[in-house]
């Protein structure tokens, strides 16, 4: 037989465990209270009995056996809490409300004892409470016993025990009911989350968990699930967009390459040309396609690193900037651009140097590509006031409108003024992925402004944390 789901839930099981622990603790406390109360009652009874015995022995020592006998008879007639038994040595008479002495013989002059005593209460019920008392040998012969019944203490302990057991039973029932209620509420909440998971499994990426803003762990789980689904939906949208962009951007080069191969084949068959030149052009187009795919794979590798730098090493960022300046200065001069570099020394960073070199090369290459002849490009490497390390490339080209500066970092995004230039729209996307993997950021700002027909220009900064 399968139990209902509510009884199989972890909160309900935890509730049962808590109730079991509570019952064990309550039982231990109850036992302690019982034995402590019993010990206290015994101690109090002994103290009172000892005091009564001292009074009677004082009467005996002061006025003799007859006075003691009268005192015992008088106390017995009062129907008090004490029990007495006085027997002389000769055994001719006795006094008290006990029929016999509890102890037949004494090894010492005075001994304590506990024994059950049969009595009848006011309602006629027979009870057998314990009696705690002391028996002593009188100096002139005879025995005297003084004791006290523990019936009142036992009745109190019985009432206390019953009250504690009743309270524990009520607490257990309330705890069980609370466990069922908590389990039901949690089952409903988890059911809502499971519906979201099931919907996503069936392909509905728009499904989201309800967050009640209560601040509990279920809200945290729901918020985390929603964040994960947002990223998943964004990734799927990016994949779809990347697929569409790849199909769109690669259609033309693939078509050109196929057309050139067809023309080369027909010309070679007709004997008009040597097919080497046509094949070389086709190879150039194939190289461009391979470059695009390699860039996409590099971005995927960085994003798969999930914020961790692949193969990090500590190196001087100034050395990398100097190498880039030496590499790109001739290319700038060939295009008629003024290239300059300002590089501070001692800029230690921790990262993957090849990836950072590729990122820096991409932004320098873009600056040279989009800056008209006669313009200028400047490379800087410095330490910011915050302690971070910054590479920046500033040019006097047309720049990027402020509204497009965030969008231009996305994959396969190319602005209208760059459609005539060769490229796939992956350069800044790779830069952004490199910065994310290194815990840095990319910043795009306006350049030096419009002057002499140039501008407003663009300033691209790569900000990295300094090595510890």
């Amino acid at each position: 037989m399968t139990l209902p789901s509510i009884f199989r839930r972890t909160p309900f099981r935890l509730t049962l465990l808590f109730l079991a622990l509570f019952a064990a603790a309550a039982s231990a406390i109850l036992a302690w209270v019982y034995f402590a109360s019993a010990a206290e009652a015994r101690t109090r009874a002994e103290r009172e009995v000892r005091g009564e015995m001292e009074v009677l022995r004082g009467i005996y020592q002061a006025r003799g056996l007859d006075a003691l006998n009268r005192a015992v008879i008088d106390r017995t007639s009062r129907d008090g809490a004490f029990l007495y038994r006085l027997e002389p040595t000769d055994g001719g008479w006795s006094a008290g409300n006990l029929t016999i002495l509890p102890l037949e013989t004494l090894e010492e002059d005075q001994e304590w004892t506990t024994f059950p005593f049969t009595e009848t209460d006011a309602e006629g019920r027979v009870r057998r409470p314990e009696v705690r008392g002391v028996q002593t040998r009188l100096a002139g012969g005879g025995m005297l016993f003084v004791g006290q019944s523990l019936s009142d203490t036992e009745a109190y302990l019985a009432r206390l025990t019953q009250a504690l057991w009743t309270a524990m039973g009520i607490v257990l029932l309330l705890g069980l009911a609370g466990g069922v209620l908590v389990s039901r509420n949690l089952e409903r909440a988890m059911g809502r989350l499971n519906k979201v998971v099931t919907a996503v499994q069936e392909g509905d990426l728009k499904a989201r968990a309800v967050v009640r803003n209560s601040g509990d762990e279920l809200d945290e789980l729901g918020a985390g699930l929603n964040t994960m689904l947002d990223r998943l939906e964004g990734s799927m949208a990016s994949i779809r967009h990347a697929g569409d962009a790849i199909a769109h951007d690669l259609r033309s080069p693939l078509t050109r390459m196929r057309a050139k191969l067809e023309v080369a084949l027909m010309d070679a068959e007709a004997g008009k040309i040597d097919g080497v030149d046509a094949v070389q052009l086709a190879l150039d187009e194939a190289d461009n396609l391979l470059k695009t795919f390699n860039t996409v794979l590099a971005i995927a590798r960085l994003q798969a690193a999930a914020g961790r730098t692949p193969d990090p090493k500590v190196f001087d960022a100034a050395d990398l900037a100097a190498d880039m300046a030496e590499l790109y200065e001739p290319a700038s001069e060939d295009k008629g651009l003024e290239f300059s570099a300002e590089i501070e020394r001692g800029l230690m960073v921790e990262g993957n140097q090849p990836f950072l070199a590729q990122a820096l090369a991409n932004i320098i290459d873009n600056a040279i590509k989009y800056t008209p002849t006669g313009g200028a490009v400047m490379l800087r490497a410095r330490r910011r006031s915050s302690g971070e390390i910054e590479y920046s490339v500033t040019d006097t080209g047309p720049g990027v409108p402020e509204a497009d500066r965030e969008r231009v970092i996305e994959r396969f995004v190319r602005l209208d003024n760059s459609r005539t230039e060769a490229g796939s729209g992956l350069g800044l996307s790779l830069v952004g992925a490199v910065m994310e993997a290194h815990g840095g950021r990319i910043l795009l700002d306006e350049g030096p402004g419009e002057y002499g027909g140039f501008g407003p220009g663009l300033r691209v900064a790569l900000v990295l944390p300094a090595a510890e």
Side-chain angles (χ1 to χ4, degrees):
M1 179 179 179
T2 303
L3 294 174
S5 62
I6 187 174
F7 296 111
R8 301 195 303 269
R9 298 297 180 185
T10 300
F12 185 78
R13 294 179 180 177
L14 292 177
T15 300
L16 293 182
L17 177 61
F18 170 76
L19 290 177
L21 294 176
F22 173 80
S27 299
I29 293 174
L30 176 62
W32 179 82
V33 169
Y34 180 85
F35 288 111
S37 300
E40 175 63 24
R42 184 185 296 268
T43 301
R44 185 177 65 252
E46 290 180 357
R47 184 170 58 251
E48 294 176 356
V49 167
R50 189 178 290 108
E52 182 69 7
M53 175 63 77
E54 292 298 326
V55 171
L56 293 177
R57 292 184 65 178
I59 293 175
Y60 173 73
Q61 293 173 359
R63 291 181 285 169
L65 185 60
D66 291 336
L68 175 60
N69 183 43
R70 288 192 298 272
V72 170
I73 294 174
D74 180 61
R75 281 168 165 74
T76 302
S77 63
R78 296 177 188 173
D79 195 19
F82 291 99
L83 298 175
Y84 304 93
R85 181 69 180 177
L86 174 62
E87 289 188 1
T89 304
D90 55 13
W93 53 268
S94 62
N97 47 10
L98 288 178
T99 57
I100 60 173
L101 287 169
L103 301 175
E104 294 181 1
T105 60
L106 295 180
E107 297 181 0
E108 300 178 358
D109 290 340
Q110 180 173 293
E111 290 186 20
W112 286 87
T113 183
T114 303
F115 60 92
F117 176 71
T118 302
E119 65 179 7
T120 304
D121 61 13
E123 298 178 358
R125 292 176 298 187
V126 177
R127 299 183 301 176
R128 290 178 59 82
E130 285 191 340
V131 173
R132 180 65 175 169
V134 62
Q135 185 172 321
T136 185
R137 184 182 291 110
L138 299 176
M143 294 283 187
L144 174 63
F145 173 83
V146 178
Q148 188 178 61
S149 173
L150 302 179
S151 59
D152 293 340
T153 300
E154 292 178 354
Y156 164 74
L157 292 176
R159 291 193 300 271
L160 177 63
T161 302
Q162 182 179 6
L164 290 176
W165 279 113
T166 301
M168 188 169 67
I170 294 175
V171 170
L172 291 177
L173 289 176
L174 292 177
L176 186 62
V180 172
L181 180 62
V182 171
S183 297
R184 287 185 61 185
N185 292 337
L186 183 60
E187 184 178 21
R188 291 174 182 173
M190 295 304 296
R192 291 192 292 267
L193 294 177
N194 285 331
K195 287 181 180 179
V196 174
V197 174
T198 302
V200 173
Q201 289 176 343
E202 294 176 353
D204 182 13
L205 296 181
K206 297 292 184 182
R208 294 293 184 273
V210 177
V211 179
R212 298 168 300 172
N213 296 321
S214 61
D216 59 8
E217 61 276 6
L218 291 177
D219 266 6
E220 292 178 358
L221 178 60
L225 180 61
N226 289 342
T227 301
M228 180 187 69
L229 292 176
D230 289 339
R231 293 183 178 179
L232 177 61
E233 185 180 13
S235 298
M236 295 300 294
S238 176
I239 291 174
R240 287 194 297 268
H241 174 71
D244 294 342
I246 288 175
H248 179 270
D249 282 12
L250 297 186
R251 184 184 297 114
S252 296
L254 284 172
T255 302
R256 288 196 305 270
M257 184 173 64
R258 188 178 187 280
K260 291 178 180 180
L261 287 174
E262 288 181 347
V263 171
L265 178 61
M266 288 186 295
D267 289 344
E269 289 177 346
K272 296 180 180 179
I273 62 170
D274 187 353
V276 175
D277 293 338
V279 172
Q280 184 62 48
L281 292 175
L283 288 175
D284 292 341
E285 294 291 337
D287 289 340
N288 290 333
L289 291 176
L290 289 174
K291 182 179 179 181
T292 298
F293 279 110
N294 288 334
T295 305
V296 171
L297 291 176
I299 294 174
R301 179 187 173 189
L302 289 169
Q303 291 178 340
R308 298 185 301 272
T309 306
D311 304 324
K313 294 182 180 179
V314 177
F315 63 95
D316 193 344
D319 294 338
L320 177 58
D323 292 342
M324 290 294 106
E326 183 179 355
L327 177 65
Y328 280 95
E329 185 174 3
S332 298
E333 293 176 353
D334 290 343
K335 191 179 177 181
L337 302 178
E338 180 184 349
F339 187 92
S340 59
E342 294 181 2
I343 303 173
E344 295 182 13
R345 307 305 301 181
L347 306 177
M348 305 306 295
V349 296
E350 182 178 7
N352 184 293
Q353 187 168 355
F355 273 124
L356 289 173
Q358 183 63 54
L360 189 56
N362 282 4
I363 60 174
I364 298 175
D365 185 72
N366 281 347
I368 295 174
K369 182 189 300 183
Y370 295 110
T371 302
T373 301
V377 175
M378 173 173 281
L379 169 65
R380 288 189 178 94
R382 66 185 184 96
R383 187 183 301 274
R384 296 164 62 99
S385 59
S386 61
E388 297 172 302
I389 307 303
E390 178 189 275
Y391 292 116
S392 66
V393 177
T394 306
D395 61 61
T396 58
V400 175
E402 185 176 356
D404 295 327
R405 288 174 189 168
E406 292 186 6
R407 190 172 65 90
V408 78
I409 303 176
E410 299 175 3
R411 277 194 274 180
F412 298 103
V413 172
R414 302 187 67 194
L415 303 181
D416 293 338
N417 59 3
S418 65
R419 288 290 177 178
T420 57
E421 298 287 345
S424 60
L426 291 171
L428 288 180
S429 299
L430 177 61
V431 175
V434 171
M435 289 298 100
E436 182 178 358
H438 285 76
R441 59 190 186 277
I442 178 173
L443 304 175
L444 276 70
D445 297 308
E446 187 174 295
E450 295 185 5
Y451 178 78
F454 294 97
L458 181 67
R459 179 180 182 272
V460 182
L462 308 182
V463 183
L464 296 164
E468 295 181 357

